[in-house]
Amino acid sequence: MIVAKEPVAPGHYRMRLTCDWESAEPGQFLHLWLPECRDPLLRRPYTVYRLRDGHLDILFQVVGEGTALLAERSPGDVVRVLGPLGNGFSMPPAGSTPYVVGGGVGMASLHLLVERLIEGGFSPRVLIGARSTGYVLCRDDLDALGVTPDISTNDGSEGYHGFVTDLLQTRLERDPAGSPVIYTCGPTPMMAAVAKIAAQREIDCQVALENRMGCALGVCLGCVVPIRSESGVGYQRVCTEGPVFDARTVEWGYRV
């Protein structure tokens, strides 16, 4: 059941649901269905933004019919949830410095990771990319964790003027940290650029892909992506083998 909903940016909402899950790993997702709706028929995937005290938070952007219908729901309305699904981010080795790089609503996949990193004794460096200052997400929740993110905006209205990938390059060059590890989620071109930066510097990098899904159970094959392995390039399912992958294994030329 929905217990709270609030707008956090134009076209973006944070929603709290009752939940009986005992735990979820950062990067895992749920599949959500509005029981009275037959159009759209299929559930929609939403990453786990936060999980505590019998409640689960999601943060989403209205991008189509399914998310628009969810945004119209109010506290007290009932939704059907399947999850937690998929794999999650792996924690970094002790002594490493995590860089968490989010673009747009991709930060929804990274907030729980930042929580767990702090709980694990790490001091994550969080970089957020947004089109303008009004679209910087998670700021208040990061403040509550004692994390001050580095901001980049495409229009220069706040922080670094440019892409978050350029900001990442700058931070890695000007403020080198011992044993960096990168985590990222956002638009596919942004993640591909982050993966390239990590590969050039031989930094481990994990990416959370956000492909469209039908079943989210590995049956429909609607979310497959090309992944490299020792035997060559083959397709893997984002819903079951992912959504988190080693950035070095992803063939970034695919289209979502």
Side-chain angles (χ1 to χ4, degrees), residues 27-40:
Q28 286 190 299
F29 65 96
L30 58 93
H31 223 204
L32 187 151
W33 181 55
L34 303 177
E36 77 279 16
C37 289
R38 295 296 179 268
D39 184 21

PDB file of all heavy atoms in Angstrom, residues 27-40:
ATOM      1  N   GLY A  27      20.947  -1.856  -5.634  1.00  0.00           N
ATOM      2  CA  GLY A  27      20.931  -2.206  -7.046  1.00  0.00           C
ATOM      3  C   GLY A  27      19.792  -3.138  -7.409  1.00  0.00           C
ATOM      4  O   GLY A  27      19.413  -3.235  -8.575  1.00  0.00           O
ATOM      5  N   GLN A  28      19.236  -3.851  -6.422  1.00  0.00           N
ATOM      6  CA  GLN A  28      18.099  -4.723  -6.714  1.00  0.00           C
ATOM      7  C   GLN A  28      16.849  -3.879  -6.997  1.00  0.00           C
ATOM      8  O   GLN A  28      16.791  -2.690  -6.686  1.00  0.00           O
ATOM      9  CB  GLN A  28      17.832  -5.669  -5.540  1.00  0.00           C
ATOM     10  CG  GLN A  28      18.856  -6.791  -5.422  1.00  0.00           C
ATOM     11  CD  GLN A  28      18.425  -7.837  -4.410  1.00  0.00           C
ATOM     12  OE1 GLN A  28      18.263  -7.536  -3.232  1.00  0.00           O
ATOM     13  NE2 GLN A  28      18.251  -9.067  -4.875  1.00  0.00           N
ATOM     14  N   PHE A  29      15.858  -4.510  -7.589  1.00  0.00           N
ATOM     15  CA  PHE A  29      14.670  -3.767  -7.981  1.00  0.00           C
ATOM     16  C   PHE A  29      13.411  -4.553  -7.642  1.00  0.00           C
ATOM     17  O   PHE A  29      13.460  -5.735  -7.278  1.00  0.00           O
ATOM     18  CB  PHE A  29      14.705  -3.445  -9.483  1.00  0.00           C
ATOM     19  CG  PHE A  29      14.646  -4.651 -10.383  1.00  0.00           C
ATOM     20  CD1 PHE A  29      13.438  -5.075 -10.922  1.00  0.00           C
ATOM     21  CD2 PHE A  29      15.788  -5.362 -10.690  1.00  0.00           C
ATOM     22  CE1 PHE A  29      13.370  -6.189 -11.755  1.00  0.00           C
ATOM     23  CE2 PHE A  29      15.735  -6.471 -11.525  1.00  0.00           C
ATOM     24  CZ  PHE A  29      14.530  -6.885 -12.050  1.00  0.00           C
ATOM     25  N   LEU A  30      12.281  -3.878  -7.761  1.00  0.00           N
ATOM     26  CA  LEU A  30      10.977  -4.510  -7.598  1.00  0.00           C
ATOM     27  C   LEU A  30      10.200  -4.360  -8.904  1.00  0.00           C
ATOM     28  O   LEU A  30      10.504  -3.494  -9.727  1.00  0.00           O
ATOM     29  CB  LEU A  30      10.212  -3.885  -6.438  1.00  0.00           C
ATOM     30  CG  LEU A  30       9.951  -2.369  -6.524  1.00  0.00           C
ATOM     31  CD1 LEU A  30       8.596  -2.092  -7.171  1.00  0.00           C
ATOM     32  CD2 LEU A  30      10.020  -1.736  -5.136  1.00  0.00           C
ATOM     33  N   HIS A  31       9.218  -5.215  -9.090  1.00  0.00           N
ATOM     34  CA  HIS A  31       8.339  -5.117 -10.242  1.00  0.00           C
ATOM     35  C   HIS A  31       6.955  -4.781  -9.714  1.00  0.00           C
ATOM     36  O   HIS A  31       6.425  -5.498  -8.867  1.00  0.00           O
ATOM     37  CB  HIS A  31       8.322  -6.449 -11.011  1.00  0.00           C
ATOM     38  CG  HIS A  31       8.387  -6.284 -12.485  1.00  0.00           C
ATOM     39  ND1 HIS A  31       7.915  -7.230 -13.377  1.00  0.00           N
ATOM     40  CD2 HIS A  31       8.877  -5.282 -13.245  1.00  0.00           C
ATOM     41  CE1 HIS A  31       8.122  -6.809 -14.604  1.00  0.00           C
ATOM     42  NE2 HIS A  31       8.695  -5.638 -14.559  1.00  0.00           N
ATOM     43  N   LEU A  32       6.396  -3.702 -10.198  1.00  0.00           N
ATOM     44  CA  LEU A  32       5.185  -3.143  -9.591  1.00  0.00           C
ATOM     45  C   LEU A  32       4.034  -3.121 -10.585  1.00  0.00           C
ATOM     46  O   LEU A  32       4.218  -2.794 -11.769  1.00  0.00           O
ATOM     47  CB  LEU A  32       5.500  -1.724  -9.095  1.00  0.00           C
ATOM     48  CG  LEU A  32       4.459  -0.992  -8.283  1.00  0.00           C
ATOM     49  CD1 LEU A  32       5.130  -0.009  -7.323  1.00  0.00           C
ATOM     50  CD2 LEU A  32       3.500  -0.217  -9.189  1.00  0.00           C
ATOM     51  N   TRP A  33       2.860  -3.442 -10.089  1.00  0.00           N
ATOM     52  CA  TRP A  33       1.658  -3.508 -10.933  1.00  0.00           C
ATOM     53  C   TRP A  33       0.499  -2.815 -10.224  1.00  0.00           C
ATOM     54  O   TRP A  33       0.331  -2.966  -9.005  1.00  0.00           O
ATOM     55  CB  TRP A  33       1.318  -4.977 -11.214  1.00  0.00           C
ATOM     56  CG  TRP A  33       0.115  -5.186 -12.081  1.00  0.00           C
ATOM     57  CD1 TRP A  33      -0.104  -4.666 -13.313  1.00  0.00           C
ATOM     58  CD2 TRP A  33      -1.028  -5.982 -11.773  1.00  0.00           C
ATOM     59  NE1 TRP A  33      -1.304  -5.099 -13.809  1.00  0.00           N
ATOM     60  CE2 TRP A  33      -1.904  -5.912 -12.891  1.00  0.00           C
ATOM     61  CE3 TRP A  33      -1.392  -6.765 -10.674  1.00  0.00           C
ATOM     62  CZ2 TRP A  33      -3.114  -6.576 -12.923  1.00  0.00           C
ATOM     63  CZ3 TRP A  33      -2.606  -7.437 -10.709  1.00  0.00           C
ATOM     64  CH2 TRP A  33      -3.453  -7.332 -11.829  1.00  0.00           C
ATOM     65  N   LEU A  34      -0.259  -2.055 -10.964  1.00  0.00           N
ATOM     66  CA  LEU A  34      -1.470  -1.423 -10.437  1.00  0.00           C
ATOM     67  C   LEU A  34      -2.627  -2.383 -10.677  1.00  0.00           C
ATOM     68  O   LEU A  34      -3.014  -2.620 -11.823  1.00  0.00           O
ATOM     69  CB  LEU A  34      -1.710  -0.086 -11.138  1.00  0.00           C
ATOM     70  CG  LEU A  34      -0.555   0.916 -11.029  1.00  0.00           C
ATOM     71  CD1 LEU A  34      -0.862   2.182 -11.830  1.00  0.00           C
ATOM     72  CD2 LEU A  34      -0.275   1.273  -9.573  1.00  0.00           C
ATOM     73  N   PRO A  35      -3.172  -2.980  -9.620  1.00  0.00           N
ATOM     74  CA  PRO A  35      -4.092  -4.116  -9.792  1.00  0.00           C
ATOM     75  C   PRO A  35      -5.360  -3.796 -10.561  1.00  0.00           C
ATOM     76  O   PRO A  35      -5.959  -4.687 -11.169  1.00  0.00           O
ATOM     77  CB  PRO A  35      -4.398  -4.547  -8.347  1.00  0.00           C
ATOM     78  CG  PRO A  35      -4.073  -3.369  -7.502  1.00  0.00           C
ATOM     79  CD  PRO A  35      -2.949  -2.668  -8.196  1.00  0.00           C
ATOM     80  N   GLU A  36      -5.794  -2.557 -10.568  1.00  0.00           N
ATOM     81  CA  GLU A  36      -7.039  -2.239 -11.280  1.00  0.00           C
ATOM     82  C   GLU A  36      -6.813  -1.899 -12.743  1.00  0.00           C
ATOM     83  O   GLU A  36      -7.780  -1.658 -13.478  1.00  0.00           O
ATOM     84  CB  GLU A  36      -7.761  -1.074 -10.573  1.00  0.00           C
ATOM     85  CG  GLU A  36      -7.172   0.291 -10.844  1.00  0.00           C
ATOM     86  CD  GLU A  36      -5.959   0.608  -9.996  1.00  0.00           C
ATOM     87  OE1 GLU A  36      -5.371  -0.336  -9.402  1.00  0.00           O
ATOM     88  OE2 GLU A  36      -5.585   1.773  -9.913  1.00  0.00           O
ATOM     89  N   CYS A  37      -5.541  -1.889 -13.169  1.00  0.00           N
ATOM     90  CA  CYS A  37      -5.219  -1.489 -14.542  1.00  0.00           C
ATOM     91  C   CYS A  37      -5.009  -2.707 -15.428  1.00  0.00           C
ATOM     92  O   CYS A  37      -4.280  -3.628 -15.060  1.00  0.00           O
ATOM     93  CB  CYS A  37      -3.969  -0.616 -14.556  1.00  0.00           C
ATOM     94  SG  CYS A  37      -4.215   1.035 -13.866  1.00  0.00           S
ATOM     95  N   ARG A  38      -5.590  -2.686 -16.575  1.00  0.00           N
ATOM     96  CA  ARG A  38      -5.315  -3.704 -17.594  1.00  0.00           C
ATOM     97  C   ARG A  38      -4.530  -3.107 -18.756  1.00  0.00           C
ATOM     98  O   ARG A  38      -4.152  -3.824 -19.671  1.00  0.00           O
ATOM     99  CB  ARG A  38      -6.621  -4.313 -18.091  1.00  0.00           C
ATOM    100  CG  ARG A  38      -7.371  -5.088 -17.032  1.00  0.00           C
ATOM    101  CD  ARG A  38      -6.561  -6.306 -16.576  1.00  0.00           C
ATOM    102  NE  ARG A  38      -7.244  -7.065 -15.536  1.00  0.00           N
ATOM    103  CZ  ARG A  38      -7.067  -6.855 -14.236  1.00  0.00           C
ATOM    104  NH1 ARG A  38      -6.217  -5.914 -13.828  1.00  0.00           N
ATOM    105  NH2 ARG A  38      -7.701  -7.560 -13.337  1.00  0.00           N
ATOM    106  N   ASP A  39      -4.320  -1.808 -18.746  1.00  0.00           N
ATOM    107  CA  ASP A  39      -3.532  -1.138 -19.765  1.00  0.00           C
ATOM    108  C   ASP A  39      -2.745  -0.008 -19.115  1.00  0.00           C
ATOM    109  O   ASP A  39      -3.368   0.969 -18.663  1.00  0.00           O
ATOM    110  CB  ASP A  39      -4.424  -0.594 -20.869  1.00  0.00           C
ATOM    111  CG  ASP A  39      -3.613   0.031 -22.001  1.00  0.00           C
ATOM    112  OD1 ASP A  39      -2.418  -0.307 -22.115  1.00  0.00           O
ATOM    113  OD2 ASP A  39      -4.188   0.840 -22.750  1.00  0.00           O
ATOM    114  N   PRO A  40      -1.434  -0.146 -18.966  1.00  0.00           N
ATOM    115  CA  PRO A  40      -0.596  -1.229 -19.472  1.00  0.00           C
ATOM    116  C   PRO A  40      -0.743  -2.502 -18.645  1.00  0.00           C
ATOM    117  O   PRO A  40      -0.945  -2.437 -17.429  1.00  0.00           O
ATOM    118  CB  PRO A  40       0.818  -0.654 -19.356  1.00  0.00           C
ATOM    119  CG  PRO A  40       0.726   0.318 -18.237  1.00  0.00           C
ATOM    120  CD  PRO A  40      -0.645   0.918 -18.309  1.00  0.00           C
TER     121      PRO A  40
END
